[in-house]
């Protein structure tokens, strides 16, 4: 059972792409997340992410900045936003897109719930783009769910000496597609 606030009808006849990554992106990661999300939103692609700090927040904001549609999948109930600083962003997302949770309205955020919501992010989309993340992270969880669902997974290659490049570089070594431009996802 999923709870939704906003317009769930946006998924009809539209392509959706998940863009996920670390909560603490590098400057490079921030720029890539913004530029890819902005471009794809301008092309009419629905962008799905998790409303967490970092890459997720950048993706949602860039989609709105591009006058596009974005969907936030929560690891809490719809009235228990984490981080609280994203409450205003959540309201903006609801106006053009939607917010989805599998948890009752008052469910508090929980680390296990954030991992569980990653399967919903992957399941709602045609493909998933990994920006930055550590080798052990929820980012890899989303990529694994996408792969298990038969969705295509893309990764942005990162610096070899950066811990935030561990997840995408690992995925690339395992055979996921490299994304060097937003056009690669179209």
């Amino acid at each position: 059972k999923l709870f939704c606030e906003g317009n769930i009808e946006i998924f009809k006849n539209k392509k959706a792409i998940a863009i996920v990554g670390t909560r603490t992106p590098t400057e490079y990661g921030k720029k890539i997340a913004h530029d890819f999300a902005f471009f794809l939103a301008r092309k009419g692609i629905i962008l799905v992410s998790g409303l967490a700090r970092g890459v997720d927040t950048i993706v949602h904001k860039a989609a709105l900045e591009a006058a596009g549609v974005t969907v936030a999948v929560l690891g809490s109930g719809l009235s228990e936003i984490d981080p609280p600083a994203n409450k205003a962003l959540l309201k903006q997302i609801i106006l053009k897109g939607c917010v989805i949770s599998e948890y009752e309205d008052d469910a508090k955020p929980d680390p296990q719930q954030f991992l569980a919501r990653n399967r919903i992010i992957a399941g709602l989309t045609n493909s998933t783009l990994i920006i930055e993340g550590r080798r052990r992270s929820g980012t890899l969880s989303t990529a694994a769910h996408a792969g298990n669902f038969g969705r295509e997974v893309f990764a942005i290659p990162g610096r070899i000496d950066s811990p935030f490049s561990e997840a995408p570089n690992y995925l690339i070594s395992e055979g996921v597609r490299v994304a060097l431009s937003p056009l690669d996802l179209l």
Side-chain angles (χ1 to χ4, degrees):
K1 182 175 182 179
L2 294 177
F3 302 94
C4 177
E5 191 169 343
N7 181 8
I8 196 70
E9 299 295 317
I10 58 174
F11 284 103
K12 287 187 176 178
N13 303 316
K14 289 274 191 169
K15 185 173 183 176
I17 294 176
I19 302 180
V20 296
T22 182
R23 286 177 169 83
T24 54
T26 63
E27 289 304 314
Y28 171 75
K30 290 176 187 177
K31 178 171 178 20
I32 291 292
H34 176 274
D35 292 353
F36 271 66
F38 187 91
F39 179 88
L40 293 168
R42 278 276 165 99
K43 293 291 185 187
I45 306 293
I46 298 168
L47 298 180
V48 180
S49 202
L51 198 71
R53 289 183 316 277
V55 168
D56 293 7
T57 296
I58 293 165
V59 167
H60 293 304
K61 286 181 176 180
L64 294 170
E65 179 186 333
V69 176
T70 187
V71 174
V73 181
L74 306 180
S76 65
L78 295 173
S79 67
E80 293 293 329
I81 305 309
D82 184 58
N86 278 350
K87 284 183 181 179
L89 177 58
L90 178 106
K91 289 178 182 177
Q92 291 178 316
I93 292 169
I94 290 169
L95 292 175
K96 287 201 67 176
C98 65
V99 178
I100 298 171
S101 176
E102 67 180 317
Y103 304 105
E104 297 289 334
D105 194 47
D106 60 349
K108 304 272 189 234
D110 178 89
Q112 292 306 312
Q113 292 170 183
F114 287 106
L115 280 174
R117 66 104 198 260
N118 292 341
R119 79 186 189 294
I120 298 170
I121 291 171
L124 289 172
T125 61
N126 303 89
S127 56
T128 296
L129 174 65
I130 306 302
I131 303 281
E132 287 183 323
R134 292 184 177 267
R135 179 66 174 89
R136 292 188 46 146
S137 68
T139 301
L140 284 179
S141 161
T142 308
H145 287 299
N148 289 338
F149 293 148
R151 309 304 203 268
E152 195 157 19
V153 179
F154 294 83
I156 303 288
R159 292 175 37 167
I160 293 172
D161 62 345
S162 171
F164 298 108
S165 298
E166 291 171 351
N169 289 347
Y170 166 75
L171 290 168
I172 291 167
S173 76
E174 292 295 307
V176 305
R177 293 193 53 192
V178 173
L180 299 176
S181 158
L183 294 171
D184 294 335
L185 289 113
L186 296 179

